[in-house]
Amino acid sequence: MLVSDDEEALTGLEEHWRRRLNGTLDVFRSEPYFLEVVPCGVDKANSLGALLAQLDIKREEVIAIGGGVCDVTTLQIAGLGIAMGHSEDSVKVCADYVTASNEEDGVALAVEKMILADIHAAEIPLDLLNERARHALMGNLGIQYTYASEDRVEATMPVDQRTRQPFGILHGGATLALAETVAGLGSMITCQPDEIVVGMQVSGNHISSAHEGDTVRAVATIVHKGHSSHVWNVDVFTSTNKLVSSIRVVNSVMKKR
């Protein structure tokens, strides 16, 4: 590798060596100030191709991010090629998408937009979430997530010695905890990776009762999806679909510090 701030000199050397070494070595400028000489066929694209074959991964399953001229073939072989914002125009035109520059956290932005934002509701690991919450309030109350998407979350909770009043019916406080649990997960699914969600307000109307031995079901649907707050409506039903409570939950959305 030759390094120089004399771009004109490197261009001349590139043209000269490319003619002299044709068929023996490859010559290219990976950056305006880099001139590289490597064995023929040794490049990022061929290396990626060999790796895909060894791991049995389809090119459609691969995202490549690059910023230099030597990255062009890699961007083209990947299912999704992403050029950095500071790339030369000749690189950008070969990419499927152009992200921000290094100084603007371009790689992180691309990962958030192309990977994290594309998590589908069906892929949310409810079993894992339920297991992790086993020793938290959810687990103590027997709450289990049963369905989750950006606009709707459902969970169940038993009416037993943990959640009932002394005279055998569902405790209103446990009902509110169930409502905050489903609304909290819904907001976490909806918010961006650099954001966190905290409960801001919960208020409910208890309409009828659920008796010990039953299992209630909470259905949360989003009413307002703002940049700084989410509003959820949570209806709680008995196992026979009798409405027990109707609850409004407001969550605050904040940037991580």
Side-chain angles (χ1 to χ4, degrees):
M1 176 185 287
L2 277 72
V3 182
S4 174
D5 57 4
D6 189 341
E7 186 174 352
E8 184 178 352
L10 287 183
T11 301
L13 284 174
E14 179 184 17
E15 295 174 352
H16 172 72
W17 284 1
R18 183 171 290 164
R19 290 193 300 268
R20 287 286 303 274
L21 301 174
N22 184 35
T24 305
L25 294 169
D26 285 336
V27 182
F28 59 89
R29 281 193 303 150
S30 55
E31 297 289 348
Y33 42 84
F34 286 158
L35 178 61
E36 298 189 39
V37 181
V38 298
C40 291
V42 175
D43 60 26
K44 294 180 179 179
N46 287 337
S47 300
L48 177 59
L51 184 62
L52 296 184
Q54 181 176 348
L55 299 178
D56 193 25
I57 297 175
K58 299 177 182 178
R59 58 183 297 271
E60 291 80 10
E61 300 175 284
V62 174
I63 297 176
I65 305 176
V69 175
C70 62
D71 297 321
V72 168
T73 52
T74 309
L75 299 180
Q76 292 175 328
I77 195 176
L80 176 65
I82 301 175
M84 298 298 295
H86 58 273
S87 305
E88 296 181 18
D89 290 340
S90 59
V91 177
K92 293 178 180 178
V93 298
C94 298
D96 302 301
Y97 176 77
V98 178
T99 186
S101 66
N102 281 341
E103 291 75 16
E104 299 169 307
D105 298 326
V107 172
L109 292 175
V111 170
E112 289 177 358
K113 181 176 179 64
M114 300 300 179
I115 301 177
L116 299 183
D118 198 39
I119 297 176
H120 302 292
E123 299 169 354
I124 298 171
L126 296 182
D127 291 342
L128 179 59
L129 291 176
N130 288 329
E131 175 61 26
R132 288 183 175 178
R134 192 159 55 92
H135 300 294
L137 176 66
M138 272 185 62
N140 291 333
L141 296 181
I143 297 173
Q144 293 278 298
Y145 294 120
T146 57
Y147 176 81
S149 69
E150 290 189 2
D151 300 317
R152 178 173 171 171
V153 177
E154 296 186 16
T156 60
M157 183 178 69
V159 183
D160 57 17
Q161 74 280 1
R162 297 169 293 179
T163 60
R164 63 170 172 78
Q165 295 180 356
F167 38 92
I169 64 172
L170 178 62
H171 195 292
T175 308
L176 296 181
L178 173 61
E180 284 200 276
T181 298
V182 288
L185 176 60
S187 286
M188 285 189 286
I189 295 171
T190 302
C191 72
Q192 298 300 313
D194 63 341
E195 296 174 334
I196 59 173
V197 176
V198 294
M200 188 162 59
Q201 183 180 14
V202 57
S203 60
N205 294 314
H206 303 306
I207 299 165
S208 62
S209 60
H211 295 271
E212 187 170 9
D214 199 356
T215 297
V216 292
R217 176 174 59 97
V219 179
T221 53
I222 195 160
V223 177
H224 169 72
K225 189 186 300 183
H227 293 295
S228 60
S229 66
H230 297 159
V231 180
W232 292 81
N233 181 77
V234 183
D235 289 329
V236 179
F237 302 92
T238 65
S239 59
T240 57
N241 283 330
K242 181 179 68 173
L243 180 64
V244 175
S245 301
S246 186
I247 303 161
R248 185 61 56 95
V249 180
V250 181
N251 291 326
S252 178
V253 181
M254 303 181 296
K255 293 292 184 181
K256 293 179 181 177
R257 295 181 179 178

